[in-house]
Amino acid sequence: MFPVKQPWLCKALGCYDCCIRCLGAVPYTSLLATLLCYTGVALFCGGGHEALSHTYQLVELYFAREVQDFTVLADFIKYFQYVIYGLASFFFLYGLLLLAEGFYTTSAVKQTFGEFKSTSFGRCVSLTLIILTYVLAVIWLAIFGFTAIPVFFLFNMESSCHKVNILSETTLFNQHSRVCMDARQYGFLPWNAVPGVVCGTTLANICKTAEFYVTYDLYICAFVGAGITLFALFLYVVATTYNYAVLRFLGRKGIRC
């Protein structure tokens, strides 16, 4: 129950009981999950969209001389940006749906309005949301792992640049040209892409550009957003499972789903 800081004011206005019942009817778990879901999806979609745009520029400038060498990557970036638009719209509506379901089935609402008679349709809706949310959580777990790949690549690239800078300041300066980053081994480019790999001073110069660090930060933002969204979906699973259990308990004498 959410604490009321000035209960005497509500009593004086004659609405103390009403305030307590309204605050008790809020499904806090579903509300928290909705806020986390919106935050995570916003970070993932916004950061991912901009990161893909910057990736195209980095590949075009440093890793591929011909457009034909990264047509697959370019098509993936273009289509996945459209997917991002769809994800943002879908999760906005789905979050509202789960929040509405949380308000409808929370036990506090039932205690407020007295006897509650659940219907088979209501129980079926809750069960459907449980299954759908669980499936989305599994899918989003794969997306969460997928977003770690560009972060891992750029992290290795930054580490290689740091190594190049150290070698260039020592007597081993000739060895810094052997330190390379190959985008082809991560699946970003086909093996026939030219050059597909950057080494030594060229690699260090790329890491010094603002474009590199902006892209790196954007991918981290998308990765964190995917993690927050995954956590929100697990909270949704817990909340919807609890709500379904309450519906089954209160409607145990009625028609079961």
Side-chain angles (χ1 to χ4, degrees):
M1 183 82 56
F2 190 83
V4 180
K5 295 182 179 180
Q6 295 181 331
W8 59 269
L9 181 59
C10 290
K11 288 183 178 180
L13 297 176
C15 59
Y16 177 75
D17 293 336
C18 179
C19 291
I20 295 300
R21 285 182 298 183
C22 289
L23 291 174
V26 176
Y28 292 105
T29 304
S30 296
L31 181 60
L32 176 61
T34 302
L35 295 176
L36 288 176
C37 183
Y38 285 167
T39 302
V41 170
L43 288 174
F44 173 80
C45 293
H49 184 277
E50 292 302 315
L52 289 173
S53 300
H54 286 77
T55 299
Y56 182 90
Q57 298 176 9
L58 284 176
V59 171
E60 186 179 26
L61 289 174
Y62 303 108
F63 289 94
R65 297 172 183 170
E66 301 293 336
V67 178
Q68 292 80 3
D69 292 338
F70 62 99
T71 53
V72 176
L73 178 63
D75 291 338
F76 171 80
I77 290 175
K78 180 178 66 175
Y79 291 124
F80 194 78
Q81 285 178 332
Y82 286 116
V83 171
I84 286 176
Y85 302 145
L87 284 175
S89 302
F90 171 78
F91 274 98
F92 175 76
L93 297 177
Y94 191 68
L96 291 179
L97 177 63
L98 288 178
L99 184 60
E101 193 267 350
F103 272 103
Y104 179 71
T105 58
T106 181
S107 60
V109 172
K110 301 172 184 60
Q111 294 174 2
T112 300
F113 295 103
E115 184 181 359
F116 180 84
K117 296 180 180 180
S118 62
T119 63
S120 59
F121 176 76
R123 292 193 296 274
C124 286
V125 169
S126 295
L127 181 59
T128 302
L129 289 176
I130 292 173
I131 297 174
L132 180 57
T133 306
Y134 182 81
V135 172
L136 286 174
V138 173
I139 295 175
W140 204 261
L141 181 62
I143 295 176
F144 178 66
F146 177 76
T147 56
I149 297 177
V151 175
F152 179 70
F153 172 76
L154 293 175
F155 173 78
N156 285 342
M157 190 171 175
E158 185 182 35
S159 299
S160 299
C161 290
H162 181 66
K163 186 175 181 180
V164 169
N165 292 330
I166 293 177
L167 291 175
S168 63
E169 296 175 357
T170 64
T171 56
L172 302 175
F173 63 92
N174 289 327
Q175 296 185 10
H176 78 278
S177 60
R178 302 177 185 177
V179 180
C180 304
M181 281 301 300
D182 192 344
R184 298 170 296 183
Q185 66 180 351
Y186 291 90
F188 296 145
L189 295 174
W191 285 106
N192 59 352
V194 179
V197 58
V198 290
C199 304
T201 305
T202 303
L203 176 62
N205 291 334
I206 295 175
C207 292
K208 294 178 182 179
T209 62
E211 188 76 16
F212 171 79
Y213 284 102
V214 170
T215 306
Y216 191 14
D217 293 340
L218 288 172
Y219 273 119
I220 293 176
C221 179
F223 177 73
V224 173
I228 295 175
T229 305
L230 181 62
F231 178 69
L233 289 174
F234 281 127
L235 281 182
Y236 274 139
V237 171
V238 173
T240 52
T241 302
Y242 169 77
N243 291 336
Y244 178 72
V246 171
L247 286 175
R248 289 295 299 270
F249 175 77
L250 294 176
R252 62 187 181 277
K253 294 183 180 180
I255 301 175
R256 296 190 177 184
C257 179

